[in-house]
Amino acid sequence: MSMLRKPLLRGSFPATRAALVVALLLSGGAACAAPKDPDIPSPAVQAARREAQSGDFAAARRSLSAILASDAARPQDREDAGAELAHIEWRIDGRPDAARTRLLALIPAAVRKVDPLLLLSRMERTLGNFDAGRSAARQALARAERREDRENAATSLAKALVEESVLASREGKAEAFGDASRARLGEGLDLVKTLVHEGPGLLAPSEVLLDAALLLDDGPAALEAWRSYFTAAGTADSGLLAAARSALTELLPRWRGPAASRGDREALVRALLESRFFTEAVIVAKDPRAPDKDRVTDLPWVRDLVAYEACIRDLRDTTDLYYRDVARGKGDANAWGKALTSRTEALWKSLSWPDGAPRFDRKLLDGRPDNLLAERFGTLIASGKTGGVPNLHMGHRVVDERRTAEQYGRRAEIRFIALDAMVSNGYETWRWDGRGAHGGWGSTGLIVQVRPAYAEGALRDWLELTDAGARSRADARLAEESLRDVERAAKDPYAWLPGLALRLRRQGQLAILEALRAKGLSGAALRAAFVGEADRAVIESSIFAHEGRHAIDAQFEKIGDGATLEYRAKLSEIAFAPVPRLAFGGIIDESIGNATPHGQANLKLMKGLVSFMDTHRAGLSRLDPSQPLLCQLDLLTDDQLRAAARSLDPMAAVAAAR
């Protein structure tokens, strides 16, 4: 199984003229040892985070402790180091008390309090300490000045307000519908309703709004939340979701909660199940306020739903605990694998079957999209090794369609599946914890996309393109990172260059935006068109070009080396991209040169691009010979970027020789 990493970048960068970006880069001057922008971590903090992201938590702890003990470290770097260390203490070490003590000591004097408060709120919420989670989130919201901080704090508070009632309601407890619960739910609904209305497509606010609205019997708000959740990444017109969309559009505007008829309740539960909102379907099915005659929990398929929802919660918790053990060097893959199999088999045997339970099919854990669980719940389970670690990729189909991948005269028929409602997206995604995610994988004839890794990207790009505060901060950060790139490249001509990555991304976004403005679009129409085009561009390159290449190689080549396979796929990702600049998100990143197949492929690609630029200096008139070549990659046109990728690709060379 070939895995695609999709970075989940936060604080992306708004449109600025490419000429300005180039001027910032080529103006000369050495980068400062410590960034001038307080939002940019110091090199020491960045290095410690890379250690943590690579899984070397022992080294990260040492590095972070050294920063905390350093008299030369800036106050904001000690804050960053303290918060990062608390994060490790909680998620990796399993020591929430130590993490709490560290954060509570750090927060009062912190210049930037929002992020550590949100970390504290999240930790308390996951531990079931909802009052403490709400308190920390309220403090974060009170101190939030930036739009993105207000959005994150409001969503965090809404989660802390709503999740307690969700847990009670899935067990059919009346307290979930009592006065205290309804007050919390109402506050949570108000916090996220505006976010969803103004920015449809944000997953977490949409999901929280759906939960609160269903528990408050607010059908119209629930419908808005459902539509928002499935706005982007190919689900707006998914055939798999068509029946659910139609049913919800008819049902929710007239939904009457406990007064709903048995037929309406059954239809709503089925529509939520078919759109993979399993917990929400259980909430509606087990509503204790419904009269006996209108309840649906006696239906065999509803009992199956309840059992399935409990099972995937258990699998998620079991797998996350196993990942924590892996991170600490104590993971027992055999024990975890046996637990995964036995729990899945127990579910299988507990389900209702018209002719009795068929023999349990152990191959359904091997990534096959067609199985009896998939027929009922859309389940896809792929257990195997990623990056040398036995782990689990398990989610539920929301898109399933056929396509043809064609590159350099070779074709492969492929089936494209998009997954949502992820139970697990692999150990590395768990370890990266929001800073990156596996975006999908491919095998012969099959491409699987992990939809949540993509769904918000284009919308967040738009929000940050059009927010004055975010634009100003982005300009400052981009300028400083670009200057620091010169120093990085002088030390290592193939290094990870954050400034270059940001410039390429900005230029790609700007190209889309200006093309749409040239068509006369503005306002809401421009926003919708931008989100659609940016979304399509990234998916076409990172999914259909990248994973399509894997499918072609699997059909026509015999390549056993993972780094070689990833290198070839990344070349196709650039060569066949609608907007090549946006194809570098998973290429020019902190993984360059590390021991993973992606890291080795990215390093080889950097070397190839530098060689191409060196060989073609005469045709690249804007290059400055006094500057490192890789720093100037963004001076190449889209056609030149594609040509560079093709020049490095053995399949392209074979095609040209035919």
Side-chain angles (χ1 to χ4, degrees):
M1 182 171 68
S2 172
M3 191 62 57
L4 168 65
R5 179 179 180 180
K6 174 68 168 65
L8 299 183
L9 302 176
R10 294 294 178 260
S12 59
F13 296 86
T16 297
R17 298 291 176 183
L20 168 63
V21 177
V22 173
L24 290 169
L25 171 62
L26 300 181
S27 59
C32 300
K36 296 177 182 178
D37 185 345
D39 286 337
I40 301 177
S42 69
V45 171
Q46 292 181 20
R49 286 179 174 172
R50 285 197 296 274
E51 289 168 341
Q53 291 296 290
S54 69
D56 192 348
F57 293 103
R61 289 187 197 93
R62 291 192 296 269
S63 299
L64 294 167
S65 297
I67 295 168
L68 289 171
S70 172
D71 293 334
R74 301 178 304 171
Q76 59 264 41
D77 291 327
R78 284 194 288 271
E79 291 173 18
D80 287 342
E84 192 74 22
L85 199 51
H87 185 258
I88 292 173
E89 288 169 333
W90 163 45
R91 289 196 82 243
I92 306 304
D93 299 341
R95 299 168 56 217
D97 289 343
R100 183 184 299 111
T101 298
R102 186 179 298 279
L103 288 170
L104 290 175
L106 179 157
I107 289 166
V111 175
R112 297 168 297 168
K113 302 181 190 298
V114 173
D115 285 346
L117 281 166
L118 291 180
L119 174 60
L120 178 60
S121 177
R122 178 183 166 211
M123 182 185 77
E124 299 290 15
R125 193 177 70 246
T126 60
L127 294 170
N129 301 327
F130 292 106
D131 286 340
R134 290 189 279 266
S135 175
R138 289 190 195 282
Q139 294 178 60
L141 185 58
R143 289 162 174 77
E145 297 179 355
R146 303 175 179 178
R147 177 197 56 77
E148 58 266 38
D149 286 343
R150 291 192 298 272
E151 174 190 298
N152 291 335
T155 302
S156 181
L157 177 53
K159 287 182 177 180
L161 288 162
V162 173
E163 284 181 6
E164 186 173 6
S165 298
V166 169
L167 293 176
S169 63
R170 64 177 290 274
E171 296 177 3
K173 294 180 178 179
E175 65 194 56
F177 302 92
D179 291 343
S181 177
R182 291 184 68 84
R184 292 193 301 268
L185 292 168
E187 182 183 357
L189 185 145
D190 289 341
L191 282 165
V192 291
K193 190 171 184 179
T194 299
L195 294 178
V196 170
H197 185 72
E198 294 180 352
L202 296 175
L203 299 188
S206 300
E207 193 167 7
V208 177
L209 178 59
L210 179 61
D211 289 341
L214 288 172
L215 289 168
L216 290 170
D217 310 315
D218 187 340
L223 181 59
E224 183 176 19
W226 190 95
R227 286 173 170 168
S228 172
Y229 189 89
F230 289 119
T231 290
T235 50
D237 55 358
S238 168
L240 276 184
L241 297 176
R245 184 183 299 275
S246 176
L248 293 171
T249 300
E250 193 276 327
L251 277 169
L252 286 175
R254 59 179 177 79
W255 178 245
R256 298 186 296 153
S261 68
R262 178 182 171 97
D264 280 354
R265 187 171 303 279
E266 182 178 348
L268 179 54
V269 172
R270 186 174 292 280
L272 290 169
L273 183 159
E274 290 178 350
S275 49
R276 317 316 182 195
F277 281 109
F278 301 110
T279 296
E280 290 73 14
V282 169
I283 287 172
V284 175
K286 297 177 73 171
D287 188 343
R289 302 169 300 164
D292 289 344
K293 66 182 180 64
D294 294 327
R295 295 189 178 185
V296 296
T297 48
D298 60 318
L299 297 171
W301 68 268
V302 174
R303 291 198 299 268
D304 290 348
L305 159 68
V306 173
Y308 185 78
E309 192 266 353
C311 177
I312 60 177
R313 279 180 175 269
D314 179 64
L315 291 178
R316 181 184 295 114
D317 293 343
T318 299
T319 300
D320 285 353
L321 288 174
Y322 161 68
Y323 290 161
R324 173 181 284 175
D325 286 342
V326 172
R328 294 186 293 184
K330 300 178 181 180
D332 188 337
N334 288 332
W336 166 75
K338 289 178 180 178
L340 172 66
T341 302
S342 64
R343 186 67 183 90
T344 308
E345 185 171 4
L347 168 72
W348 180 278
K349 292 178 179 177
S350 74
L351 297 176
S352 60
W353 302 94
D355 301 313
R359 184 176 180 180
F360 177 63
D361 182 5
R362 293 177 181 270
K363 291 184 179 180
L364 70 84
L365 302 176
D366 295 339
R368 294 189 308 168
D370 297 314
N371 57 73
L372 293 178
L373 282 185
E375 291 180 11
R376 296 187 183 208
F377 307 108
T379 314
L380 194 154
I381 308 174
S383 61
K385 285 187 178 181
T386 306
V389 177
N391 64 169
L392 175 66
H393 292 83
M394 178 178 179
H396 300 84
R397 290 181 293 174
V398 290
V399 176
D400 192 346
E401 62 187 36
R402 301 283 179 175
R403 290 187 59 155
T404 300
E406 182 170 1
Q407 298 178 13
Y408 303 119
R410 288 181 169 178
R411 297 161 57 95
E413 299 301 318
I414 55 176
R415 180 179 178 183
F416 172 66
I417 291 175
L419 300 180
D420 208 293
M422 299 301 296
V423 177
S424 175
N425 191 20
Y427 166 65
E428 289 179 325
T429 297
W430 180 90
R431 190 181 74 206
W432 295 326
D433 194 31
R435 291 174 178 160
H438 290 157
W441 62 88
S443 58
T444 304
L446 176 67
I447 293 177
V448 179
Q449 179 207 34
V450 179
R451 179 180 174 268
Y454 292 82
E456 293 185 350
L459 175 61
R460 290 195 178 276
D461 289 347
W462 169 261
L463 293 173
E464 288 153 352
L465 281 169
T466 56
D467 180 87
R471 181 168 58 249
S472 176
R473 290 189 296 274
D475 287 346
R477 182 176 179 186
L478 189 149
E480 185 163 348
E481 290 285 20
S482 293
L483 287 173
R484 293 171 68 82
D485 276 356
V486 178
E487 184 178 89
R488 295 172 179 122
K491 294 177 180 178
D492 179 354
Y494 315 115
W496 171 42
L497 303 180
L500 172 63
L502 299 175
R503 294 195 309 277
L504 286 166
R505 180 172 178 166
R506 176 185 288 183
Q507 291 165 6
Q509 295 166 353
L510 179 60
I512 293 172
L513 188 63
E514 290 188 340
L516 294 172
R517 282 176 172 162
K519 296 180 179 179
L521 296 176
S522 62
L526 177 61
R527 172 190 172 281
F530 175 86
V531 169
E533 283 299 305
D535 195 36
R536 183 186 70 84
V538 172
I539 291 176
E540 285 291 330
S541 59
S542 64
I543 289 293
F544 292 116
H546 181 111
E547 298 298 340
R549 177 58 177 271
H550 284 316
I552 290 171
D553 279 345
Q555 182 171 322
F556 292 97
E557 305 285 348
K558 293 183 179 180
I559 301 172
D561 177 56
T564 299
L565 287 169
E566 291 303 333
Y567 174 69
R568 292 162 67 97
K570 289 170 190 284
L571 291 174
S572 287
E573 192 171 349
I574 299 167
F576 295 97
V579 184
R581 282 163 161 71
L582 295 182
F584 283 90
I587 297 172
I588 301 178
D589 67 14
E590 69 275 16
S591 73
I592 291 175
N594 72 20
T596 67
H598 280 281
Q600 291 301 301
N602 288 340
L603 177 59
K604 185 175 181 179
L605 185 47
M606 293 304 101
K607 291 180 177 180
L609 292 171
V610 169
S611 176
F612 175 88
M613 295 171 72
D614 188 34
T615 302
H616 295 82
R617 284 178 184 268
L620 305 175
S621 58
R622 292 192 294 167
L623 291 185
D624 184 338
S626 69
Q627 297 292 329
L629 284 173
L630 189 57
C631 288
Q632 303 177 72
L633 181 66
D634 60 314
L635 295 179
L636 275 63
T637 66
D638 282 354
D639 285 342
Q640 287 168 337
L641 289 172
R642 293 188 184 101
R646 288 170 180 150
S647 74
L648 301 170
D649 196 326
M651 187 184 290
V654 170
R658 290 191 188 114

